Amino acid sequence: MNFACICDNVSVKNPFDIIFMKKALKAAKTRKDRNLPNPAVACLVVKKDKIVSKAVHMGCGKPHAERAALEKAGREAAGSTLYVNLEPCCHYGRTPPCTEIIKKAKVKKVVYALQDPNELVCGKGSEELKKAGIEVISGVCAEEAFELNEKYFIARLYKRPFISLKAASTADGFVRDRNGVSKWITGNAARAFGRKLRSSHSAVAVGTNTVLEDDPNLTSGQKKHKDPLRVVLDRHGRIPRESNVFKDENYVLFSSVEKGMPRTEFLEEKKFAFPEILDILYSKYFVFSLLVEGGPTLLSYLYNSKLFDRIFHFTSPFFLGEGLKMIEGEFTLEKHPLLIRKKVFSIEEDLLTVYSNSERKIKIGDNGCLQA
């Protein structure tokens, strides 16, 4: 894992709490990365060590898992234990607070994995339940719960989108040949995987050069997943209006030049910086995860600024000998510790290596509280 876990809740002695929490996590995984900006959450209502009902949160505006599970349980919810992978909410949003229906249903005990870092909830949901005389146990299966909703947690803790960098290069590290051609570095299977990767993020970002040279569609190719928001960075207004990134209204353009384009966020030249862009995406567009598919200039800036959480590096078996490098600058072994290699696997003839940022450490308290 790419975070430092202090420990699970040492007060947990009942092995059934772990067993049922793992069942809740398994159910929640069916919605992994599909509910953003909400987390993937599942809830079990358990009585006499048997599951009475189960529910999964199906997305923004839909009933929360706790409410759905308790409504299914009906009168059987009285005296039951609730297992949920995230602290129940206690505020009004698009849906009513879950703590209210938990109290109304006369639930005896609530077991959850992690506190919700949302400032409207963090620790408050737990306290409200305790005040109502409900036993609360937290921190159960905390590491697994963190990994399930890592994008959501990182976004809440750092108040910016979870950032993934995607790049494809030849075996000797080039992203374009000496003529500037970059298409088809990897095979069909790797390119299909890259498109699928977009469906696990709220938005995908590209810079000016990438659009001018490749004119990408930036679609996911997944029928059951909506395409991510297209984030176009065009500081000097060089991208033509007929480009594929502007084919419909599912985009936001960041520029320092007024071109009369709809859905444009205008930033003064001196304020055109990625941290400013991230703040707008997070606070205005509720983008909690961002896949960056930019060229060497953008990727180099983000890598050297340590402004990333994950890197997906596709490597083809070909050698070019010369061309444009994936990331600009000189690299030494002393700089390598910035990356933690998480996974390596082949996609037909190509290789995918997944890295995490070694400096992005999250501490998990024994009560399931997260701290950046």
Side-chain angles (χ1 to χ4, degrees):
M1 301 295 292
N2 63 321
F3 59 93
C5 176
I6 296 176
C7 61
D8 262 358
N9 191 332
V10 295
S11 65
V12 176
K13 297 179 180 180
N14 185 351
F16 284 103
D17 287 346
I18 297 174
I19 291 171
F20 286 118
M21 183 60 72
K22 286 188 176 293
K23 289 181 181 292
L25 286 164
K26 183 178 180 180
K29 284 178 183 177
T30 62
R31 298 296 300 179
K32 179 177 171 65
D33 297 328
R34 297 179 66 183
N35 286 359
L36 291 171
N38 286 357
V41 180
C43 177
L44 305 181
V45 178
V46 176
K47 197 169 185 179
K48 295 180 181 178
D49 295 333
K50 292 184 179 180
I51 297 175
V52 175
S53 66
K54 176 175 67 175
V56 178
H57 178 48
M58 298 302 292
C60 294
K62 301 292 178 64
H64 284 192
E66 298 96 316
R67 179 171 294 274
L70 287 169
E71 288 179 351
K72 284 182 182 179
R75 294 181 179 179
E76 285 296 307
S80 67
T81 297
L82 220 62
Y83 291 91
V84 59
N85 56 293
L86 192 67
E87 178 184 11
C89 70
C90 55
H91 68 289
Y92 281 90
R94 293 183 180 181
T95 59
C98 292
T99 50
E100 290 301 316
I101 193 171
I102 292 172
K103 291 187 290 185
K104 186 177 180 180
K106 299 180 180 179
V107 171
K108 181 180 178 182
K109 174 181 172 183
V110 173
V111 181
Y112 68 83
L114 291 172
Q115 278 190 8
D116 191 339
N118 183 346
E119 294 160 346
L120 296 172
V121 183
C122 193
K124 298 175 184 176
S126 176
E127 286 304 310
E128 187 171 321
L129 294 174
K130 289 177 182 177
K131 288 179 180 178
I134 298 172
E135 181 184 358
V136 177
I137 292 180
S138 58
V140 181
C141 303
E143 290 190 23
E144 190 176 345
F146 179 88
E147 189 169 2
L148 170 65
N149 284 307
E150 183 180 16
K151 294 184 179 73
Y152 172 80
F153 292 130
I154 291 292
R156 284 292 188 192
L157 290 168
Y158 289 97
K159 301 189 185 308
R160 57 140 177 93
F162 179 97
I163 303 169
S164 298
L165 309 184
K166 175 192 163 190
S169 73
T170 58
D172 49 352
F174 294 102
V175 295
R176 299 183 189 278
D177 65 19
R178 61 183 179 182
N179 298 315
V181 177
S182 66
K183 286 190 175 182
W184 321 138
I185 283 179
T186 55
N188 290 329
R191 293 197 297 273
F193 189 95
R195 289 191 295 272
K196 185 178 180 181
L197 192 60
R198 293 168 183 164
S199 66
S200 64
H201 292 75
S202 305
V204 55
V206 289
T208 303
N209 292 335
T210 297
V211 177
L212 293 177
E213 292 163 6
D214 300 336
D215 194 21
N217 288 297
L218 301 181
T219 56
S220 68
Q222 306 296 304
K223 293 182 179 180
K224 295 183 179 180
H225 298 259
K226 67 177 183 179
D227 289 330
L229 175 71
R230 300 185 297 277
V231 178
V232 185
L233 312 181
D234 187 25
R235 183 188 303 216
H236 303 297
R238 296 164 52 206
I239 298 177
R241 296 184 66 144
E242 61 270 18
S243 299
N244 286 326
V245 289
F246 302 134
K247 64 184 176 182
D248 55 39
E249 294 186 352
N250 188 36
Y251 76 88
V252 56
L253 169 66
F254 288 88
S255 182
S256 294
V257 177
E258 291 282 11
K259 293 178 59 178
M261 289 282 291
R263 298 183 64 81
T264 298
E265 292 293 336
F266 177 77
L267 293 175
E268 296 178 21
E269 178 73 23
K270 61 182 179 180
K271 293 183 178 180
F272 198 96
F274 212 77
E276 297 286 339
I277 291 168
L278 291 175
D279 182 61
I280 293 172
L281 289 174
Y282 176 80
S283 59
K284 184 174 180 179
Y285 292 92
F286 305 104
V287 171
F288 275 37
S289 61
L290 179 68
L291 179 66
V292 180
E293 297 190 21
T297 301
L298 182 55
L299 291 178
S300 297
Y301 166 75
L302 293 173
Y303 179 84
N304 293 321
S305 301
K306 303 177 182 178
L307 197 53
F308 69 90
D309 301 288
R310 190 80 77 247
I311 295 179
F312 295 88
H313 180 204
F314 296 85
T315 309
S316 77
F318 304 111
F319 287 80
L320 282 177
E322 60 179 334
L324 190 63
K325 283 285 188 180
M326 181 175 68
I327 294 181
E328 301 168 347
E330 296 295 327
F331 289 89
T332 64
L333 289 173
E334 287 76 14
K335 288 185 177 181
H336 182 71
L338 178 61
L339 300 180
I340 296 176
R341 188 171 60 187
K342 291 178 66 72
K343 295 179 182 178
V344 181
F345 54 94
S346 59
I347 305 177
E348 292 189 356
E349 71 269 30
D350 301 306
L351 193 70
L352 173 59
T353 308
V354 183
Y355 301 95
S356 62
N357 188 335
S358 64
E359 296 189 0
R360 196 75 68 238
K361 292 183 173 65
I362 304 298
K363 293 182 179 180
I364 303 180
D366 56 4
N367 63 345
C369 180
L370 298 173
Q371 183 178 358

